[in-house]
Amino acid sequence: MEAKDKIKEYTIRNIINYRKLDWSISDDFLYLTDVPEIFEPFEMKPHYFAYGIINSGSIMIEVDYQNFLVDKRSLLIYRPEQNVKVITIEAGTKGMFVLFTKKFMDYLFESFFSIAPNSFLKNKFGSQVVLTEEDHSKMNTLFTRTLDFLIVSEADNERWIYSAKSILLALINESDFLVNRYIENRNSIHQPREEQIGYDFKKLVSKHYLTFRNIEFYAQELNITTNYLHKIVKSQFHQTPSEIINMALLSECKVRLSDPRDSISQIADHLEFTNIQSFSRYFKKQTGETPISFRTHHNLINP
């Protein structure tokens, strides 16, 4: 136990330095288009989330002192505060991974996208998922398109970071939907009903927040009363349902404003505000800035 107690927090910067990776964009986000041959031979406690797929070859990894042989068609996940040690990597192993800190996601998307109770990124889901051939193919497509976008993006550093946050969030959401059936198979029997309702509420919000911003819609979809929904959501997430819906909308506003190709009027239309004035009033009330000043302050438009 003495050796385990001495494990120090391991950061993405530690990985970059140890594996001699050419990466200077961010210390809170890193993507790997292949499995590096150099890896840490010691035990570490990550400061970040990591997940990805293996397309060929295999990795033997120890997570929380349990060994996993991660081979073709496997999804590997490990999280902050877990104890991780890579034991062996088979020569020629191919795969794709993303590594990111909670800070990286929270900075832009705030608490709405905090990890759901039975998401694949939660500890209780485990560290390895063996996907069907069809699901592995879909996951491979998701990773390939995500990383292709990040590779070819020519935005400057700050704009690139905003794009990376947006597309990483999309990858996480799509991955969660894809592996949801595996989560249900393992955990649904033991999942408290209220916890499941809270998770289902956030899934509904992620799909419908642009069109439905009233609590009644979500309560009706979940077949419960608005008071009961308020109680469950407040207990689990320390926010009201309205606050979560609003956070989703506000996050989308920021993402849209980070792209200078759309005018503010077009953004207002996309977000289903009645006009540009109502959009500007809403955004200023929430952030203290007008949409124009937000764009200017964050250098999200070209001179």
Side-chain angles (χ1 to χ4, degrees):
M1 288 299 295
E2 183 180 354
K4 295 176 185 178
D5 292 339
K6 292 182 179 178
I7 299 171
K8 293 184 178 180
E9 189 174 71
Y10 207 69
T11 66
I12 289 176
R13 175 49 54 184
N14 292 143
I15 289 181
I16 295 167
N17 293 340
Y18 188 91
R19 302 185 186 186
K20 299 178 181 179
L21 302 176
D22 182 16
W23 182 263
S24 59
I25 297 174
S26 172
D27 287 350
D28 291 304
F29 173 62
L30 171 68
Y31 65 83
L32 300 173
T33 57
D34 214 337
V35 179
E37 295 181 2
I38 300 173
F39 63 89
E40 296 79 355
F42 47 82
E43 198 168 349
M44 53 190 177
K45 190 181 289 290
H47 177 61
Y48 52 87
F49 294 90
Y51 85 97
I53 58 171
I54 299 297
N55 291 325
S56 63
S58 66
I59 297 175
M60 177 69 78
I61 188 169
E62 181 185 275
V63 182
D64 287 342
Y65 311 109
Q66 179 179 359
N67 288 343
F68 297 93
L69 178 61
V70 184
D71 53 11
K72 185 178 179 182
R73 292 209 344 236
S74 287
L75 178 73
L76 171 66
I77 314 115
Y78 59 88
R79 302 116 175 135
E81 303 305 315
Q82 289 192 299
N83 297 310
V84 177
K85 181 181 179 181
V86 178
I87 301 172
T88 60
I89 298 180
E90 182 183 343
T93 296
K94 304 293 183 183
M96 295 173 283
F97 286 83
V98 290
L99 294 75
F100 55 94
T101 64
K102 187 175 185 297
K103 172 187 172 184
F104 185 76
M105 297 306 294
D106 283 351
Y107 176 77
L108 179 62
F109 298 106
E110 294 145 350
S111 56
F112 165 72
F113 293 113
S114 58
I115 299 165
N118 57 350
S119 161
F120 77 102
L121 290 179
K122 293 297 275 189
N123 283 10
K124 65 183 179 182
F125 183 57
S127 293
Q128 181 183 17
V129 184
V130 179
L131 303 169
T132 65
E133 187 172 346
E134 180 182 3
D135 285 346
H136 179 270
S137 177
K138 290 178 181 177
M139 187 70 77
N140 183 66
T141 300
L142 287 173
F143 266 90
T144 300
R145 291 181 178 176
T146 298
L147 300 189
D148 281 350
F149 171 84
L150 294 174
I151 290 168
V152 302
S153 174
E154 297 180 355
D156 59 37
N157 188 67
E158 187 174 354
R159 289 262 315 279
W160 189 93
I161 291 292
Y162 270 80
S163 297
K165 291 172 189 286
S166 304
I167 198 165
L168 176 60
L169 175 65
L171 176 64
I172 292 171
N173 278 344
E174 292 299 322
S175 300
D176 193 45
F177 287 133
L178 191 150
V179 302
N180 187 57
R181 66 178 69 96
Y182 301 90
I183 299 172
E184 290 176 348
N185 289 342
R186 285 193 187 183
N187 294 325
S188 60
I189 295 175
H190 307 287
Q191 185 75 11
R193 181 171 181 268
E194 292 190 352
E195 197 170 278
Q196 184 66 45
I197 289 173
Y199 176 63
D200 289 343
F201 168 71
K202 278 200 167 182
K203 285 180 66 176
L204 283 170
V205 171
S206 70
K207 292 180 180 180
H208 300 295
Y209 66 91
L210 288 182
T211 307
F212 299 102
R213 300 171 190 172
N214 58 309
I215 304 174
E216 289 76 14
F217 167 80
Y218 298 96
Q220 185 175 356
E221 288 293 302
L222 295 168
N223 199 29
I224 57 177
T225 66
T226 54
N227 288 339
Y228 187 40
L229 177 60
H230 186 280
K231 176 184 175 181
I232 290 173
V233 172
K234 184 72 174 177
S235 173
Q236 285 189 43
F237 307 116
H238 308 290
Q239 293 177 292
T240 66
S242 295
E243 287 171 340
I244 288 178
I245 297 167
N246 184 60
M247 264 321 164
L249 179 60
L250 184 59
S251 294
E252 180 73 9
C253 292
K254 291 179 179 180
V255 172
R256 292 282 170 178
L257 288 169
S258 72
D259 187 347
R261 291 174 298 182
D262 291 338
S263 69
I264 293 176
S265 177
Q266 289 172 319
I267 294 171
D269 287 340
H270 173 81
L271 299 178
E272 301 189 16
F273 284 88
T274 53
N275 50 51
I276 191 172
Q277 290 80 12
S278 63
F279 171 61
S280 297
R281 284 194 301 270
Y282 165 80
F283 191 81
K284 186 171 184 179
K285 181 180 179 181
Q286 299 298 322
T287 66
E289 296 181 275
T290 65
I292 294 176
S293 65
F294 177 85
R295 273 187 161 174
T296 303
H297 178 71
H298 291 277
N299 299 315
L300 296 177
I301 56 175
N302 292 320

